[in-house]
Amino acid sequence: MSVETKQAEDRKLYEFTEDGNSCRIYEPGTPRYWYNYLWNEDRYCAQISQVGHGRSYYLSEKAEMCMINRDDARYVYLRDDENNECWNIGAGPLNTEVEDYCCTHSIGHSLIRSKKNGVEGSWRIFVPKKGHHEVWTLKLKNTAEEKKHLSVFSAVSFYLEGFSYPRYYEMYRCMQTRFDRKLNGVYCASAHPFAPHGLYNGFLASSELVYAWDGDLTKFCGTTSTLTLPDASACALFQRPDVVMQGRDCTDSEASLFILGGVLQHKITLKPGEEKEIRVVFGISASCEEACRTMERYADKESTEQEWREAEAYNYEKIRSLSVKTPDEKINHIMNNWVKKQADFCIVGKKGVRDNLQIAVGLLNYRQEKAQEEILECLRHQFRDGHGVLTWYPYDDTRYSDQPFWIIWAVCELIKETGDCSLLTESVEWQDGGGASVLEHVKAAVDRLILDKGKHGLVKIYFADWNDALNVTDDPEAESVMLSHQFCLALRELARLMEYAGDQGYARSLREEYGKLKADINKYAWDGNWYARALSEKGNIGSKESRGSRIYLNAQTWAVLAGVADGENLPKVLEAVDGMEQDFGFPLNLPPYLKYDPHVGRMSGMLPGLFENGGVYCHATGFKILMDCCAGRGTKAIETLKKIMPDSEKNPSARSGAEPYVFTNCYSTNPGYYGKSYQSWTTGTSAWCLMGLYEGIMGVKRDYEGLRISPCFPAEWEEAEVTRHFRGSDYHIVIRNPERIENGKPVILADGKPCDRETLPVYGDGRIHEIEVLLR
């Protein structure tokens, strides 16, 4: 082995800080872009890659998008004006080699550092607690023995798109850039007649006097550095912008129509050892005057640092109320902060009834008020006949069958968290007009699922259920076994809620419906060793006799979660699920479809092993973690969690490509893309893995009467602890497992006093209470 090879192998690609709050990336050439997301409650969001580029956008309260920059253009260039040497602090997009590169993605900011040509540079980006903008702090220090004469170029594109309008009203026809002296930056004004709100004006401004600027990206990048689109507009390519590479200065250009952007050039001279700071603000505003007022917040270093400290504190405060300490440090790093940040971001990045309700129930563990707000928002997108829209941004009301289940389940979980049955009387609008109480929304969902039953008594699948890609469009009477299991769970949980609320009559009817549906599932969907996935006269899907794929994961996991699989069926289901195991999780179905089957739809049209066609779907594997806990299999549960955790032992990030600090939606089992992932951040995997650890393995579960403790430990764990805020108090819970058992009976001391049941007292006193749990 050569010295160079050995050094390359010894060089770390990344590592977590000791507290796990930050991930330090040591190579700019990661397998793919590794992003951080920074956002605030004003719904401004910045996506930051390890080289600093990424999209910035705003999503209004009514889900009206403003994508601020085109092609993720956010760059900082440095040039030594003595020798014309050019580079980026984050190495890209020039891809000039730099020394001592490090990108630190943290919960509340990203910071990129490097050295080049005797200059230490750093670029910090954060999104303040309030406002529609992001703040860059650029620091440059001369470490050489001679003066440095530098040009610093901050560059963005302006797009300002994301809403619907008539043809030929494209936004670029209504935009123009100009330099505003008071703003000390480039302002991009739009005058679109159909803009849904006023925040479609962009700006890039600086705290330091700007030497030159460009609002026309052709002048900055060069006319041969553009990609022409079919309508003759062009979007600038930033790999080798002419102004930077040719030693020239910005041209003070302004523009209208096509490739609009903002470039600010600063010229600075640094003596040996001298450091200079430049503050840049990028964002949107309703007017140039408003942008000027925004810039006043960052007029000096101290006011900027105060904004940063407040943003940092807020981002940590959001996730502070839930924490875990296990014998596994990696689990602690991921599950203490990053998974909570990821689930929180899904609320920003997703706008769908099914998606957001799942995320909101995960958020109930640590952001109760936000979760309640999101659950009620989802109910507003339910129709009076009980079903809901698929997404409200972009708007899509394709008739999926599973939205009513998630509504019932989420409301039950919300009442468990709050203990407040008065929420059931709160009035919430319908998607199609009018309003009704939360309970009426829930009852409409129940009625919808009952009305949607097919000939076997199971719920029809329509275009799709949870699995968007399973489309049995050749049989409108086809029934979903997975959704029928879920409806069983909903009926059981709602019956408990109604008993808690005092409606015994409705509770009895729900339990009767549960018994009938469970019997019908076991009669018609049981396939001898597992449950079929869908029933159809054109051929059942996911059964021993099915064409192509013969077993589906979700039809088994939800059978256990809903109590449908019991008696002799339960061990057979668990054995069937165990037989699906792969190195890095559990495929959605096996074997994959080898060719397109119109009876199954889109999933069978994908290559085998990709996405829903036999790929390891991490979201569904998250269901499996809770199934294991439900079945008392703590060791299986933790093994499953570890398989789909970022940078797992058998599927490291170097192969999967996924960020090592957030969960991904799926891994491919196709040989041509083996182990690689598709997308991270916006996936329900985050919420389900959070629930799998905190509610399943740690066994800290909300319930109507209080916080219930029912751990399902892996045998290897002797002790772990969790802190959880619940109904006005904090519970510090230490769980000991000296006998190394997986599913023991908890013996509980609450503040030193024996607790004769698994449900902890509800204190509501704002204090911390010490809970000791011994498993026997």
Side-chain angles (χ1 to χ4, degrees), residues 371-398:
Q372 178 174 325
E373 174 187 313
E374 195 64 26
I375 290 169
L376 297 180
E377 176 64 25
C378 288
L379 262 61
R380 293 186 182 95
H381 300 285
Q382 180 188 16
F383 294 94
R384 283 176 290 182
D385 70 359
H387 85 284
V389 303
L390 178 65
T391 60
W392 63 89
Y393 180 81
Y395 184 81
D396 185 351
D397 62 358
T398 304

Side-chain angles (χ1 to χ4, degrees), residues 341-359:
K341 174 173 178 170
Q342 183 179 4
D344 199 17
F345 173 68
C346 285
I347 292 294
V348 178
K350 288 176 173 283
K351 296 299 173 188
V353 170
R354 170 222 293 156
D355 295 323
N356 287 44
L357 286 173
Q358 291 177 79
I359 299 299

Side-chain angles (χ1 to χ4, degrees), residues 622-696:
F623 301 154
K624 192 264 181 186
I625 295 169
L626 281 166
M627 179 208 78
D628 284 327
C629 295
C630 187
R633 307 197 310 171
T635 299
K636 286 282 188 184
I638 203 69
E639 288 174 353
T640 301
L641 174 61
K642 286 183 176 182
K643 279 179 177 287
I644 60 172
M645 280 186 68
D647 197 34
S648 66
E649 181 180 346
K650 293 190 177 181
N651 198 27
S653 290
R655 178 173 68 181
S656 74
E659 295 94 333
Y661 39 87
V662 290
F663 286 91
T664 187
N665 70 327
C666 61
Y667 297 116
S668 167
T669 59
N670 184 282
Y673 202 66
Y674 191 76
K676 296 187 182 300
S677 70
Y678 169 55
Q679 72 175 57
S680 53
W681 281 100
T682 50
T683 169
T685 306
S686 57
W688 284 97
C689 286
L690 183 149
M691 291 187 282
L693 177 67
Y694 285 96
E695 299 180 27

Side-chain angles (χ1 to χ4, degrees), residues 54-250:
R55 62 197 57 184
S56 296
Y57 60 90
Y58 164 71
L59 196 63
S60 77
E61 189 174 4
K62 296 181 179 179
E64 297 149 336
M65 170 66 77
C66 176
M67 186 63 67
I68 304 169
N69 53 342
R70 180 192 285 275
D71 299 323
D72 302 348
R74 178 202 296 112
Y75 300 110
V76 174
Y77 303 85
L78 303 181
R79 185 179 69 207
D80 188 325
D81 286 336
E82 293 291 321
N83 58 24
N84 207 35
E85 189 164 3
C86 310
W87 69 98
N88 304 106
I89 297 173
L94 294 178
N95 296 330
T96 303
E97 188 174 343
V98 295
E99 301 169 2
D100 296 341
Y101 163 90
C102 180
C103 171
T104 303
H105 284 326
S106 293
I107 298 300
H109 72 275
S110 285
L111 174 66
I112 303 172
R113 300 176 183 269
S114 69
K115 296 178 183 178
K116 180 73 174 178
N117 203 28
V119 177
E120 288 183 356
S122 71
W123 178 16
R124 185 189 69 187
I125 304 175
F126 76 93
V127 172
K129 186 177 176 181
K130 299 291 293 181
H132 305 112
H133 57 277
E134 62 200 64
V135 182
W136 312 353
T137 302
L138 304 174
K139 291 184 179 180
L140 301 171
K141 182 178 182 180
N142 182 3
T143 61
E145 296 180 356
E146 66 279 350
K147 280 186 179 181
K148 288 290 181 181
H149 301 277
L150 304 174
S151 280
V152 184
F153 301 90
S154 305
V156 299
S157 60
F158 288 119
Y159 188 45
L160 305 174
E161 282 276 13
F163 59 96
S164 298
Y165 45 73
R167 190 180 181 190
Y168 299 127
Y169 278 87
E170 288 80 3
M171 173 60 90
Y172 65 77
R173 302 172 190 266
C174 310
M175 294 162 56
Q176 58 183 351
T177 58
R178 60 183 173 87
F179 188 84
D180 187 87
R181 293 287 177 185
K182 183 179 179 182
L183 179 65
N184 194 38
V186 175
Y187 188 75
C188 183
S190 66
H192 201 289
F194 293 97
H197 55 72
L199 294 173
Y200 284 94
N201 307 287
F203 68 93
L204 182 74
S206 172
S207 64
E208 303 299 310
L209 185 64
V210 173
Y211 176 80
W213 68 89
D214 273 311
D216 181 347
L217 291 178
T218 303
K219 302 296 185 183
F220 178 68
C221 293
T223 56
T224 59
S225 296
T226 58
L227 174 68
T228 301
L229 301 179
D231 63 357
S233 68
C235 54
L237 299 180
F238 289 82
Q239 280 79 2
R240 296 182 67 81
D242 284 1
V243 164
V244 177
M245 304 306 297
Q246 296 174 10
R248 299 194 280 112
D249 295 328
C250 287

